[in-house]
Amino acid sequence: MTSSPGSPHVGGRPDPADGTTALGGEPAPARGYLLDNARAEAGERFVWLAELFDGVTRGHLDRLGVGAGSRCWEVGAGGRSIPEALAAAVGPAGYVLATDIDPSWLEAGGGYEVRRHDVAADPPPEPGTFDLVHARLVLVHVPDRARALATMVAALRPGGWLLVEDADTALQPLACLDDDGPAQRRANRLRDAVRELLKRRGADLRYGRTLPRALREAGLVDVAAAGSFPVGGPACDRLEAATIRHVRGELLAAGLADDAEIDAHLAAVHAGELDLTLAPLISAWGRRPAEHPPALG
């Protein structure tokens, strides 16, 4: 669910357009993750999320001491950029595990191990052994967030660090901060529509702000947090276009937008007429203490 550094490599990946994407009118919470990996647009999203946030994530990883010989677990990796960065940091003496419920955008043999894993349902891999566990833009979409967080904490060695980064779309819900114009107001209406789809799929749009408390309640110490808030630029534009294309069918099926509105918005994005922004990314980290090992479950 996180980011990938290069081109989407859509042509080298099995075509996910197999009829499994939910476009019907049944209750959305039963239909899974809205922005799933089983669409070509997911690869585009990984590219631009990497452009926007990989520098932020790598800065935190450096400050937490990830280096030669470290053992790291990248949860809900989505794309390859963070697993590759971790593999480069830990070197041949270290170990990086990248997992996802759909790992098809990851690359086996890229210096890290790839496994299919559901952090909210499966037991922690190699519990009590990781120096660093990281998840970005994952838990906000997981209905059983407490279980997923406990799984990640249980994977840490005593003294190991957990870094969780998630958006808080309720904290800043706008696509355009400056909404002085019809194109800007249309962009904000469509952002509201996407947020509504996310809520129907069980996403917690206020989750980012709760991360420090959630980490403390999970038994971690030395908890701290920071935020990142990109405004404008080509990466925001391209991420927006890929996202709208990804969820277009769902927007139409839910009656939250029509074709003309979506087409006009995409045209404005491609023309560079909008100063688009994103919800703040809240990064929170904490350390598993040597005493009081956390209990899973």
Side-chain angles (χ1 to χ4, degrees), residues 168-216:
D168 192 315
T169 63
L171 189 62
Q172 198 299 101
L174 299 177
C176 292
L177 300 177
D178 179 8
D179 64 352
D180 187 23
Q184 288 76 13
R185 289 189 288 272
R186 179 177 58 234
N188 286 341
R189 286 196 304 273
L190 284 171
R191 182 65 59 84
D192 283 343
V194 173
R195 293 174 67 245
E196 177 61 25
L197 289 177
L198 289 168
K199 285 193 292 184
R200 294 181 186 184
R201 300 296 182 97
D204 182 353
L205 304 185
R206 298 168 54 90
Y207 187 64
R209 73 191 71 182
T210 72
L211 283 173
R213 172 170 52 84
L215 267 57
R216 288 194 299 271

Side-chain angles (χ1 to χ4, degrees), residues 76-104:
R80 301 191 306 267
S81 67
I82 296 302
E84 289 177 350
L86 287 170
V90 306
Y95 170 69
V96 175
L97 173 64
T99 64
D100 204 294
I101 56 173
D102 177 1
S104 54

Side-chain angles (χ1 to χ4, degrees), residues 2-273:
T2 49
S3 50
S4 173
S7 64
H9 297 285
V10 172
R13 183 181 186 277
D15 184 1
D18 58 0
T20 61
T21 301
L23 298 180
E26 281 135 44
R31 305 186 72 103
Y33 174 45
L34 178 66
L35 296 166
D36 62 31
N37 292 357
R39 293 283 298 274
E41 290 87 355
E44 298 177 54
R45 285 176 41 79
F46 296 153
V47 170
W48 304 116
L49 286 168
E51 179 73 18
L52 289 163
F53 293 125
D54 271 14
V56 173
T57 297
R58 288 196 303 267
H60 293 313
L61 296 174
D62 289 344
R63 282 187 287 276
L64 294 178
V66 174
S70 296
R71 289 177 50 85
C72 304
W73 176 22
E74 178 67 14
V75 179
R80 301 191 306 267
S81 67
I82 296 302
E84 289 177 350
L86 287 170
V90 306
Y95 170 69
V96 175
L97 173 64
T99 64
D100 204 294
I101 56 173
D102 177 1
S104 54
W105 292 98
L106 298 169
E107 184 176 8
Y112 53 90
E113 182 181 353
V114 177
R115 294 187 203 173
R116 188 181 304 275
H117 183 271
D118 183 342
V119 70
D122 298 332
E126 304 169 35
T129 67
F130 287 97
D131 300 292
L132 182 283
V133 176
H134 172 247
R136 186 173 73 190
L137 299 174
V138 174
L139 293 189
V140 67
H141 301 288
V142 174
D144 195 348
R145 297 171 189 90
R147 172 71 182 184
L149 192 62
T151 297
M152 292 191 288
V153 171
L156 293 170
R157 66 163 178 80
W161 289 93
L162 175 63
L163 171 63
V164 181
E165 303 180 287
D166 260 308
D168 192 315
T169 63
L171 189 62
Q172 198 299 101
L174 299 177
C176 292
L177 300 177
D178 179 8
D179 64 352
D180 187 23
Q184 288 76 13
R185 289 189 288 272
R186 179 177 58 234
N188 286 341
R189 286 196 304 273
L190 284 171
R191 182 65 59 84
D192 283 343
V194 173
R195 293 174 67 245
E196 177 61 25
L197 289 177
L198 289 168
K199 285 193 292 184
R200 294 181 186 184
R201 300 296 182 97
D204 182 353
L205 304 185
R206 298 168 54 90
Y207 187 64
R209 73 191 71 182
T210 72
L211 283 173
R213 172 170 52 84
L215 267 57
R216 288 194 299 271
E217 290 176 351
L220 301 183
V221 298
D222 299 331
V223 172
S228 178
F229 184 31
V231 179
C236 284
D237 291 349
R238 291 169 184 172
L239 178 62
E240 173 75 2
T243 300
I244 293 297
R245 292 198 310 272
H246 195 143
V247 302
R248 180 174 189 139
E250 286 83 352
L251 288 169
L252 295 173
L256 294 170
D258 58 36
D259 278 316
E261 186 174 26
I262 293 172
D263 288 342
H265 176 58
L266 289 174
V269 172
H270 290 309
E273 297 174 0

